[in-house]
Amino acid sequence: MRSHRDTSAAPSSEVEHEAVASGGKTGGKRAAAVDTRPLDGLIGYALRRAQLAVFDDAIRALAKLDLRPAQYSVLSLIAHTPGLRQSQVAEALGIQRANFVALLNGLERRGLALRSAAPNDRRSHALHLTEEGERVLRRANAVVAIIEGRLDAKLGPGGRAQLLELLKKLTAAD
Amino acid sequence: MRSHRDTSAAPSSEVEHEAVASGGKTGGKRAAAVDTRPLDGLIGYALRRAQLAVFDDAIRALAKLDLRPAQYSVLSLIAHTPGLRQSQVAEALGIQRANFVALLNGLERRGLALRSAAPNDRRSHALHLTEEGERVLRRANAVVAIIEGRLDAKLGPGGRAQLLELLKKLTAAD
DNA sequence: TATTGTTATACTCTATAACTATA
DNA sequence: TATAGTTATAGAGTATAACAATA
């Protein structure tokens, strides 16, 4: 997608507007990289860019199983604790229960998860994975392991533990 | 607009709840926290939760200036490098140039930024902040400084530099 | 009365195709 | 032909109100 841009060029604050008459067709008109230093030091900005970069990868990889990250997380939680109710899963993942309905409909329509009667409350549905759901989840777990492994390579030794620790501090309530 | 609900499908199999162990403690009105450990170790998941938590705060704070994070980042870049063209700013922030139009329209309508004639290319618009835009940006910078300061308190000494370093590694192209 | 699942709705964000005017 | 800005549109994601069944 993005063509490689070289030319770092010194971060001079003087911007040269002229030049590069750019009449050339095949030529070398290169877009000078915009100076993003005003934002680079912000945790919020760095966090957003990193999250987008990581999810870009994850979304593409999981798409091969026709799964989106949110669907994967739902399958994962249900598999680990069968019988969870919709509200519980939705709240744990920060999804409004109203929006969780369509998400679960999709998983159920594809035969990956199912709603069954909850034991003590006839308002609730207990959630379970089907055998197909378990199979898809296993394949998804393998995909995720590869993605996370690539991130480890980028982070270097000890990087994962360090990063998880720091992110946990940010996520904790005030 | 997805109003059609799934009437078919749903393997409607008999409700087979054999030994619905109910995950352990049934009863009790306390909302037992869902076990999210299957996800907690994932960089992707931790990154998303942290980003949402941080932005939740940032969105609320910037809303007092009627600014959203994306608008703030645009004002910030234009202020630092006046004369940037729309495509440059959009690409630097990972926004499609088509979507950047409405964003900039909003800033221009409010008198915070303006499009002026670009010197060498009559297709392009050079972007600048108005004086009001500079004023709003200064107030926004103060707001952002407070937010980032709160994050520093959570991260502890050295935490910011460490986190920025790790996030940079994740954002870098392969 | 309160809660669970549900529907409907609206608003933001994002992605893509196509147009225009320039280059 | 290619590029900058623009329009239109569609798809996800998200937030809120309201309703029926049940607690």
Side-chain angles (χ1 to χ4, degrees):
Chain A
M1 337 273 202
R2 254 115 243 200
S3 46
H4 273 356
R5 257 164 214 110
D6 67 330
T7 158
S8 40
S12 91
S13 51
E14 303 279 294
V15 180
E16 319 173 33
H17 286 267
E18 94 299 334
V20 191
S22 81
K25 33 200 91 169
T26 41
K29 174 171 184 176
R30 297 186 199 262
V34 173
D35 185 358
T36 57
R37 279 177 302 174
L39 303 175
D40 291 335
L42 301 177
I43 296 289
Y45 180 72
L47 214 41
R48 173 172 171 266
R49 298 312 295 252
Q51 196 256 323
L52 289 178
V54 169
F55 266 59
D56 217 57
D57 200 20
I59 290 171
R60 248 199 317 276
L62 285 173
K64 292 165 189 163
L65 298 173
D66 200 9
L67 282 183
R68 319 180 118 263
Q71 294 176 308
Y72 168 73
S73 64
V74 169
L75 293 181
S76 190
L77 289 194
I78 298 176
H80 186 261
T81 310
L84 283 173
R85 288 168 297 136
Q86 293 185 201
S87 300
Q88 290 181 300
V89 177
E91 191 197 350
L93 295 175
I95 301 172
Q96 302 291 326
R97 71 185 197 279
N99 297 326
F100 189 78
V101 175
L103 196 167
L104 187 59
N105 283 346
L107 295 177
E108 200 171 28
R109 194 180 313 120
R110 289 168 54 190
L112 304 184
L114 52 85
R115 296 161 160 105
S116 67
N120 292 325
D121 190 333
R122 290 198 312 188
R123 296 171 302 181
S124 299
H125 295 155
L127 304 182
H128 299 268
L129 293 199
T130 62
E131 290 194 7
E132 171 68 2
E134 307 261 18
R135 270 193 297 274
V136 169
L137 177 57
R138 272 193 294 274
R139 295 179 59 194
N141 280 334
V143 165
V144 168
I146 290 175
I147 296 172
E148 292 280 322
R150 263 192 298 237
L151 298 182
D152 278 327
K154 288 186 178 183
L155 292 172
R160 163 177 297 264
Q162 237 179 47
L163 180 55
L164 287 177
E165 182 60 32
L166 290 163
L167 294 176
K168 193 173 157 192
K169 289 177 180 173
L170 291 182
T171 307
D174 291 278
Chain B
M1 249 167 287
R2 208 48 72 69
S3 61
H4 81 261
R5 122 172 208 273
D6 185 31
T7 52
S8 65
S12 92
S13 51
E14 336 259 320
V15 200
E16 46 148 289
H17 47 270
E18 43 164 299
V20 180
S22 79
K25 53 196 88 175
T26 1
K29 46 189 301 184
R30 194 180 294 267
V34 173
D35 184 359
T36 56
R37 278 178 299 175
L39 302 174
D40 290 337
L42 301 178
I43 297 289
Y45 181 73
L47 213 43
R48 172 171 173 267
R49 299 311 294 250
Q51 196 257 320
L52 289 178
V54 169
F55 267 60
D56 218 57
D57 200 19
I59 289 170
R60 250 198 318 275
L62 285 173
K64 293 165 189 163
L65 298 173
D66 200 10
L67 281 183
R68 314 225 246 105
Q71 293 176 309
Y72 168 75
S73 64
V74 169
L75 293 180
S76 190
L77 288 193
I78 298 177
H80 186 261
T81 310
L84 282 174
R85 289 168 295 139
Q86 293 185 202
S87 300
Q88 290 180 300
V89 177
E91 192 198 349
L93 295 175
I95 302 172
Q96 303 290 325
R97 70 186 199 279
N99 296 326
F100 189 78
V101 174
L103 196 167
L104 188 58
N105 284 345
L107 296 178
E108 200 171 27
R109 194 181 313 120
R110 290 168 55 192
L112 304 183
L114 51 85
R115 296 160 160 105
S116 66
N120 291 323
D121 190 334
R122 292 197 313 191
R123 296 172 301 181
S124 299
H125 295 155
L127 304 182
H128 301 268
L129 293 198
T130 63
E131 289 194 8
E132 170 68 1
E134 307 261 17
R135 270 193 297 274
V136 169
L137 177 57
R138 272 193 295 273
R139 295 179 60 194
N141 280 334
V143 166
V144 168
I146 291 174
I147 296 172
E148 292 280 323
R150 255 183 261 150
L151 297 181
D152 279 326
K154 289 187 178 181
L155 292 172
R160 163 177 297 265
Q162 236 179 49
L163 179 55
L164 287 178
E165 182 61 32
L166 290 164
L167 294 177
K168 193 172 155 193
K169 289 177 181 173
L170 291 182
T171 307
D174 291 276

